[in-house]
């Protein structure tokens, strides 16, 4: 059996479509917001990864969201670009239609709540009114594109008979994809499977559309619920890189795709994901947002293929399949290797960046090369991860504030003193400030050079690679007026790394959109 779809043509029953909402649902997490340049980097990475659809944002939410969706639509070409809208919002659908217009393939995703709880207390609407808005919303979306998705927000807690009526109305009025979200992460795998079986059996026209699953992770069941949905007939999977998203997050893309690849006996489906790129995309997102994945995270956590138990080590040495159900290389893991030294030239450095998948402007390459030469003088061995950290640190466009230099005097017999230079709008400014330790002194110096009202909400330090000479990778979270931003920095000097992270966060705060988000943005 197959389905004719406006964006994908003839879609086989064996094909699973990956709908990535990292840039929409994922970005709604506190502290995870991205600026335009970061969103464009992620969109290009997702396109290269092989996702089928990028949900680029909620265009009506703010001018910044509109602009980011439009720019992504102009930038990518091999992926469907999707904008979110409420079914009952005429301006929502107009904004979404205008924002996705430049895309070669485009989709509008409209939604409305359907559960008794949401209809009564959030929408304050009667069921018949909701049905009317489902019809009008999908009709309006079809004026901008033939590829229209409709979602039943809180679908997993919707009464079955009414859910069937809603889905039938959406199909009858032009929806080509039907999404049933477990919006609050309440359902169990068997319940999600049963919902899709029911809809496919009971709803007229169900055989003409693609069903989609969007599961949240509040009970830690998002991936399990998604796989159960696929067993029930869903053929579109809505997910995010690293499982980011509101509250406990969404189903993790990397976990779902590797479950399908590893258990072909249970999930004999095809997809377009280039799995060796999974780790790189995961790390890019962590660098942009300032949130590393936990060490024991499946697939992309640093312990995912680590073996400490002697029994496990012995088994892996004899045959890796004894304790590894997939190869590390299949998802992008390779051993860090010594690639360049202090005598390496610019041409070799540029070739190495190309081999690592970077396509950078010459100015960024030059800045990264200068930092590499400094790093090579301090470290005995320079690994791929070291190169990646410093390049990502330099790949930040349009920053008003840039780090120039830091000198410290610190010890146990006197207060620490930091002399800091920052370039602010191209003009170098300096300050010398004392503090309770070198980090405190350095952060006070930033405040002196560039006064601001933000407060420090989080400060963490990790190592990029192993050894006492490893680069430090630091995360700084700033809070101002209830808004959170995270910055990251990397440097062989821990305090310099901390200053770079603070400056990165400060720049994100300066360009952060002032949002007046409509209620209930999430499906």
């Amino acid at each position: 059996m197959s389905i004719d779809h406006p964006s994908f043509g003839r879609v086989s029953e064996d094909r699973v479509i990956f709908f990535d909402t990292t840039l929409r649902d994922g970005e709604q997490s506190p502290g995870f917001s991205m600026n335009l340049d970061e969103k464009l980097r992620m969109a290009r990475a997702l396109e290269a990864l092989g996702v089928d659809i990028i949900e680029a944002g909620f265009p009506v939410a703010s001018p910044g969201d509109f602009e980011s969706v439009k720019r992504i639509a102009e930038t990518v070409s091999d992926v469907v670009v999707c904008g979110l809208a409420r079914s009952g919002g005429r301006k929502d659908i107009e904004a979404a239609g205008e924002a996705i217009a430049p895309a070669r393939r485009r989709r509008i995703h409209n939604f409305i709540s359907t559960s008794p709880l949401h209809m009564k207390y959030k929408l304050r609407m009667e069921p018949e009114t909701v049905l009317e808005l489902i019809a009008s919303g999908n009709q309006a979306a079809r004026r901008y594109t033939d590829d229209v998705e409709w979602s039943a927000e809180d679908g997993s807690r919707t009464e079955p008979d009414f859910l069937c009526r809603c889905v039938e109305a959406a199909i009858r009025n032009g929806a080509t994809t039907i999404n049933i979200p477990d919006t609050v992460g309440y359902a169990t795998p068997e319940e999600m499977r049963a919902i899709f079986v029911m809809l496919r059996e009971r709803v007229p026209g169900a055989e003409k559309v693609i069903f989609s699953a969007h599961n949240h992770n509040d009970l830690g069941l998002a991936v399990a619920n998604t796989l159960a949905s696929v067993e029930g007939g869903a053929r579109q999977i809505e997910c995010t890189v690293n499982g980011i998203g509101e509250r406990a997050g969404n189903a993790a893309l990397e976990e779902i795709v590797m479950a399908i690849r590893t258990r072909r006996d249970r999930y004999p489906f095809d997809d377009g994901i280039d799995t060796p790129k999974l780790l790189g995309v995961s790390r890019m997102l962590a660098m942009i947002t300032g949130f590393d994945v936990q060490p024991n995270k499946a697939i992309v956590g640093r312990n995912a293929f680590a073996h400490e138990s002697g029994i496990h080590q012995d088994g892996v040495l004899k045959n890796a399949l004894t304790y590894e159900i997939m190869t590390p290389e299949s998802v992008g893991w390779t051993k860090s290797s010594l690639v360049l030294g202090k005598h390496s030239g610019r041409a070799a450095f540029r070739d190495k960046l190309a081999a690592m998948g970077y396509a950078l402007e010459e100015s960024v390459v030059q800045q990264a090369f200068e930092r590499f030469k400094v790093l090579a003088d301090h470290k005995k061995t320079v690994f791929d991860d070291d190169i990646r950290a410093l390049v990502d640190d330099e790949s930040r466009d349009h920053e008003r504030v840039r780090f120039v230099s830091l000198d410290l005097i610190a010890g146990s017999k006197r207060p620490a003193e930091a002399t800091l230079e920052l370039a602010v709008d191209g003009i170098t400014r300096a300050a010398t400030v004392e503090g309770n330790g070198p980090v405190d002194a350095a952060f006070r110096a930033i405040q002196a050079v560039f006064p601001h009202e933000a407060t420090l909400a989080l400060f963490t330090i990790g190592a990029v690679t192993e050894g006492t000479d490893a680069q430090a990778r630091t995360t700084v979270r700033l809070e101002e007026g209830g808004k959170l931003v995270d910055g990251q920095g990397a440097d062989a000097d821990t305090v310099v790394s901390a200053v770079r992270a603070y400056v990165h966060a400060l720049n994100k705060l300066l360009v952060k959109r002032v949002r007046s988000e409509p209620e209930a943005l999430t499906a």
Side-chain angles (χ1 to χ4, degrees), residues 288-306:
I288 287 173
T289 62
F291 285 88
D292 287 332
V293 299
Q294 69 267 29
N296 64 329
K297 168 76 167 62
I299 314 302
V300 294
R302 68 172 181 266
N303 290 348
F305 295 93

Side-chain angles (χ1 to χ4, degrees), residues 228-249:
S229 300
V230 172
E231 290 179 340
R235 289 297 180 268
Q236 177 176 286
I237 291 169
E238 304 200 1
C239 50
T240 61
V241 176
N242 295 343
I244 70 170
E246 292 202 81
R247 303 183 315 277

Side-chain angles (χ1 to χ4, degrees), residues 400-419:
R400 288 188 56 200
V401 186
R402 297 190 67 88
F403 172 80
V404 177
S405 68
L406 175 68
D407 288 322
L408 288 168
I409 300 174
S412 61
K413 295 184 177 180
R414 54 159 294 173
E417 182 180 277
T419 299

